[in-house]
Amino acid sequence: MSLLDMIGPVMIGPSSSHTAGACRLGLVAHHLLGEEARSAVIDLHASFAKTGRGHGTHLALIAGLLGMRPDDQRLPHAFEEAQAAGLTFEFRDADLGDVHPNTARIAVRGDTQAVTVQGSSTGGGVIQVAQVQGLGVNFSAASPTALLRYSDAVGMIARIASTIAADGVNIATLTCTRDTRGGQALLAIELDQALSPEALAFLNRWPDVNWVRMLPKLMDG
């Protein structure tokens, strides 16, 4: 058991480790969108739907979408900050199936981009992201994470891994899913450090790649 397990994460607002997790889920969507959020529809499952308002879950999710971390002093005023930033949002209760009770699905749009993220707050401020753009993933944002969406083709994962190695970065974990053979694939790669801007630009130029994001480490410590 770590110290974080015993005392919980550092955060502003109601004392709930799941609230810190909700903020980090919003942060994942914020970084994957890659631009300012303009509208969001957030589906809340089970415990998040039933007890979220009392625990500050709604505030924390919006704070994350605005780019705030759990210890940001502005978090208790996230709704007012959203209004000032031009972000409109809607919360809905939803049955997301056989998932963790503290799960949210966030569909957010900016001026030119849109992203959908589903993930859970598993306790102690820890999160687990299960879906991005409707495709399965499995990462916690405890380390820098690269995500690529591309047209499925032979050798793509090997080419991407070679590019990462050439950038001097080590791969910790890698998950890949696709909708159909030869269809759209999503690769999530947890790394020891973030890829360089040059490596990201190189990957973005590949004809088969249509979406690249570099998610920073979101966990403390």
Side-chain angles (χ1 to χ4, degrees), residues 105 116-119 128-138 186:
R105 181 172 60 207
T116 300
V117 175
Q118 181 172 311
Q128 202 67 32
V129 180
Q131 289 185 19
V132 172
Q133 303 295 63
L135 293 172
V137 291
N138 182 22
L186 181 66

Side-chain angles (χ1 to χ4, degrees), residues 65-88:
L65 282 176
L66 293 171
M68 300 180 201
R69 298 183 72 91
D71 59 353
D72 194 303
Q73 297 284 342
R74 299 169 296 166
L75 191 150
H77 310 290
F79 289 173
E80 292 91 334
E81 295 285 341
Q83 184 176 16
L87 168 61
T88 61

Side-chain angles (χ1 to χ4, degrees), residues 172-191:
T173 66
L174 181 153
T175 58
C176 182
T177 55
R178 59 185 183 181
D179 50 14
T180 59
R181 183 176 181 180
Q184 286 294 296
L186 181 66
L187 186 63
I189 312 169
E190 294 181 288
L191 304 165

Side-chain angles (χ1 to χ4, degrees), residues 48-175:
F48 260 7
K50 294 175 183 176
T51 66
R53 292 197 182 277
H55 286 188
T57 301
H58 299 66
L59 284 168
L61 284 162
I62 297 303
L65 282 176
L66 293 171
M68 300 180 201
R69 298 183 72 91
D71 59 353
D72 194 303
Q73 297 284 342
R74 299 169 296 166
L75 191 150
H77 310 290
F79 289 173
E80 292 91 334
E81 295 285 341
Q83 184 176 16
L87 168 61
T88 61
F89 54 88
E90 175 189 0
F91 289 99
R92 307 184 303 194
D93 293 352
D95 182 352
L96 299 179
D98 186 18
V99 296
H100 192 283
N102 293 301
T103 295
R105 181 172 60 207
I106 306 167
V108 58
R109 290 185 173 274
D111 292 327
T112 65
Q113 302 289 321
V115 69
T116 300
V117 175
Q118 181 172 311
S120 306
S121 171
T122 58
V126 176
I127 63 171
Q128 202 67 32
V129 180
Q131 289 185 19
V132 172
Q133 303 295 63
L135 293 172
V137 291
N138 182 22
F139 66 88
S140 65
S143 59
T145 304
L147 289 100
L148 298 92
R149 189 170 184 178
Y150 56 89
S151 299
D152 180 45
V154 174
M156 281 294 291
I157 293 177
R159 290 173 59 199
I160 293 167
S162 294
T163 300
I164 292 171
D167 200 38
V169 178
N170 194 39
I171 294 174
T173 66
L174 181 153
T175 58

Side-chain angles (χ1 to χ4, degrees), residues 13-59:
S15 179
S16 168
S17 65
H18 288 301
T19 308
C23 184
R24 291 191 174 104
L25 289 173
L27 267 173
V28 169
H30 165 81
H31 286 292
L32 295 185
L33 182 64
E35 61 184 29
E36 295 299 317
R38 299 302 180 196
S39 65
V41 176
I42 303 173
D43 293 327
L44 300 175
H45 176 75
S47 295
F48 260 7
K50 294 175 183 176
T51 66
R53 292 197 182 277
H55 286 188
T57 301
H58 299 66
L59 284 168

